[in-house]
Amino acid sequence: MDQSILVVNCGSSSVKLALYRTTDTAAPIITALAERLGGEGARLRIEGEKSFSCEDAMDHSQALATFIEECQDYLQDLVAIGHRLVHGGEAFHESTLITDDSLAELEKVSVLAPLHNPMNLMGIRLCRELLPDLPNVAVFDTSFHQTMPAQAYLYGVPYDWYETHQVRRYGFHGTSYRYVSAETARRLNRPADDLNLIIAHLGNGCSACAIRQGQSVDSSMGLTPLEGLIMGTRSGDIDPGLLEHMMRESGSSMAELMTALNRNSGLLGLSGISNDMRTLLQHEAAGEPAAKRALDTFCFRVARQLAALSSNLSSTDAVVFTGGIGENSADIRRRILANWRNIQFRLNTALNQANGDESGRISETGTPLVLVIPTDEEQMIAQDTLKITGL
Ligand code: ADP
């Protein structure tokens, strides 16, 4: 059996796992998804060279233990584990080996991402417990954006909020942007550090990023992944004044309003139907105005953000779509670009429907280049894990 690497993405009610051979990080040999952990209807599904599924009352630890037991033949030569961490604060500019010291440092960063980091850290702890003696590596969603200049990462608030409380814009989805920008360079046969890109990562979480000569110079997400674009259930940009207004008008507490902005807003809140793009497109096609309202607002806001980000670039080599929506919805891509009115994008209808030619291109030759490039954050995490552990 070849040596292998495990990639772990531990969220609040789910664990996603991907097992790679160290000799080939392009595609995993086994993937697993454990969902609804700690609640009703918990389930684990393993796919690939090993397949298994069960529905059982499980928490994160039990799901991981079941995966380890079911896949033991494939884990004999496991040599390292890579973990997705949402927030690395300013302390972590790049992926890092987990030690007792770095774990203590990571604990401190958790205040910046209380919804995400504690779950990611639990994944690390569980692996140290269930798979002892293996190196663990943390790969951060924020680290790629540490090249953002102060003018892009500062908020217009008292400066000591930054100095004392680390209040600044960090940006997220960085692992995806790192992968997509490298893949764009490869497909265009250009050096990555030569490319100026606007990338829209549109999935359940949505953000956009301006890349100047291979480096992130601005992103739509901020202190937390709530800022920026309208997302599945997250509001994106709001006037903070609406919090006080809603507290007064509805009697809601700050905690209730934050839950509403994180879980009941975005496409779900605007439509009252679903947070899922496919479902909304179906409802819109069936003539439901609430679905159209949500989608029109979503596309308008994405276009506005992309146009704003492009002001960072003297010229844009390509606009790139990625993430579940960005990779799969020809209609949403078309509507976003139609809202970006000061640039004459011309999509090739057939290429857009096909989600791109072999280079990912969906625009007509000789017009501003638009690409669809599927992201692969797990592959990046596997590669960083190999690099950092020196395997
Ligand atoms: P996550 O951010 O959780 O990784 P994904 O990147 O998988 O999520 O994106 C999920 C979103 O992609 C959902 O809104 C889903 O409806 C949308 N999506 C997936 N396939 C399609 C499709 N063919 N057309 C439109 N939307 C799609």
Side-chain angles (χ1 to χ4, degrees):
M1 187 69 206
D2 292 335
Q3 290 188 331
S4 59
I5 290 226
L6 182 63
V7 171
V8 179
N9 183 349
C10 192
S12 57
S13 63
S14 71
V15 181
K16 291 184 198 153
L17 301 157
L19 188 70
Y20 293 85
R21 292 206 169 91
T22 53
T23 46
D24 178 11
T25 53
I29 53 170
I30 295 173
T31 58
L33 174 62
E35 294 174 287
R36 302 190 198 142
L37 297 173
E40 291 272 305
R43 61 182 181 205
L44 167 67
R45 174 175 291 182
I46 302 175
E47 288 176 342
E49 290 191 10
K50 165 83 192 177
S51 68
F52 169 85
S53 78
C54 70
E55 286 188 32
D56 214 344
M58 273 182 289
D59 60 16
H60 292 73
S61 168
Q62 287 156 334
L64 199 55
T66 308
F67 172 83
I68 292 168
E69 193 183 313
E70 290 299 325
C71 297
Q72 54 183 301
D73 290 350
Y74 294 87
L75 298 174
Q76 305 283 345
D77 291 303
L78 184 64
V79 286
I81 307 168
H83 297 264
R84 176 192 182 201
L85 268 93
V86 168
H87 218 309
E90 285 192 322
F92 295 97
H93 287 235
E94 48 194 32
S95 305
T96 189
L97 188 68
I98 301 282
T99 59
D100 290 342
D101 285 349
S102 60
L103 209 50
E105 195 62 37
L106 278 168
E107 294 283 358
K108 291 189 211 153
V109 174
S110 278
V111 295
L112 292 170
L115 295 180
H116 301 97
N117 272 38
M119 307 314 292
N120 305 156
L121 289 176
M122 178 172 77
I124 294 176
R125 278 204 204 84
L126 285 174
C127 285
R128 283 172 41 126
E129 204 177 293
L130 296 168
L131 296 163
D133 305 324
L134 289 173
N136 287 271
V137 168
V139 178
F140 303 93
D141 280 18
T142 47
S143 53
F144 182 66
H145 300 296
Q146 283 292 303
T147 46
M148 274 169 29
Q151 63 201 26
Y153 72 64
L154 288 176
Y155 287 110
V157 297
Y159 190 67
D160 71 287
W161 292 11
Y162 166 56
E163 291 179 306
T164 313
H165 303 293
Q166 303 98 51
V167 170
R168 53 158 281 182
R169 310 183 62 252
Y170 291 91
F172 297 86
H173 288 138
T175 311
S176 173
Y177 292 123
R178 196 150 55 94
Y179 175 84
V180 171
S181 48
E183 181 61 15
T184 303
R186 192 187 69 76
R187 292 192 191 195
L188 298 181
N189 204 12
R190 298 259 308 269
D193 59 6
D194 191 34
L195 279 184
N196 290 341
L197 303 173
I198 297 294
I199 307 181
H201 177 116
L202 309 177
N204 278 316
C206 298
S207 75
C209 177
I211 296 193
R212 194 195 296 146
Q213 297 185 319
Q215 296 197 326
S216 170
V217 287
D218 196 8
S219 151
S220 62
M221 280 180 167
L223 174 72
T224 73
L226 186 55
E227 188 179 335
L229 302 177
I230 290 173
M231 312 182 208
T233 62
R234 282 174 251 165
S235 63
D237 291 338
I238 53 157
D239 176 349
L242 79 71
L243 290 170
E244 195 201 9
H245 175 78
M246 285 304 294
M247 274 177 151
R248 217 173 33 230
E249 291 289 309
S250 70
S252 303
S253 67
M254 181 59 112
E256 285 165 344
L257 290 175
M258 290 314 292
T259 302
L261 293 179
N262 273 298
R263 299 201 194 286
N264 303 324
S265 296
L267 292 172
L268 173 64
L270 271 170
S271 67
I273 298 171
S274 173
N275 64 316
D276 187 88
M277 181 55 82
R278 270 169 300 193
T279 308
L280 288 175
L281 285 164
Q282 283 160 8
H283 280 256
E284 185 187 44
E288 286 192 40
K292 179 167 167 30
R293 170 177 72 214
L295 298 183
D296 284 348
T297 314
F298 175 87
C299 293
F300 172 83
R301 290 283 200 99
V302 178
R304 183 166 76 174
Q305 182 71 65
L306 299 183
L309 286 168
S310 75
S311 69
N312 276 288
L313 309 178
S314 53
S315 66
T316 301
D317 293 306
V319 174
V320 187
F321 286 97
T322 194
I325 299 169
E327 291 166 24
N328 295 301
S329 180
D331 188 39
I332 294 296
R333 292 190 296 258
R334 180 187 59 72
R335 288 161 72 171
I336 290 169
L337 294 176
N339 273 291
W340 189 345
R341 292 169 199 271
N342 64 341
I343 298 188
Q344 300 306 305
F345 291 101
R346 278 192 43 215
L347 294 187
N348 177 303
T349 308
L351 289 183
N352 190 29
Q353 284 300 336
N355 300 322
D357 65 8
E358 65 286 350
S359 71
R361 184 172 61 88
I362 58 171
S363 50
E364 295 284 6
T365 317
T367 68
L369 183 61
V370 185
L371 301 172
V372 173
I373 308 273
T375 192
D376 192 344
E377 290 155 288
E378 287 79 16
Q379 183 181 153
M380 276 275 74
I381 297 174
Q383 284 175 6
D384 277 14
T385 305
L386 275 176
K387 202 158 59 191
I388 283 174
T389 52
L391 290 163

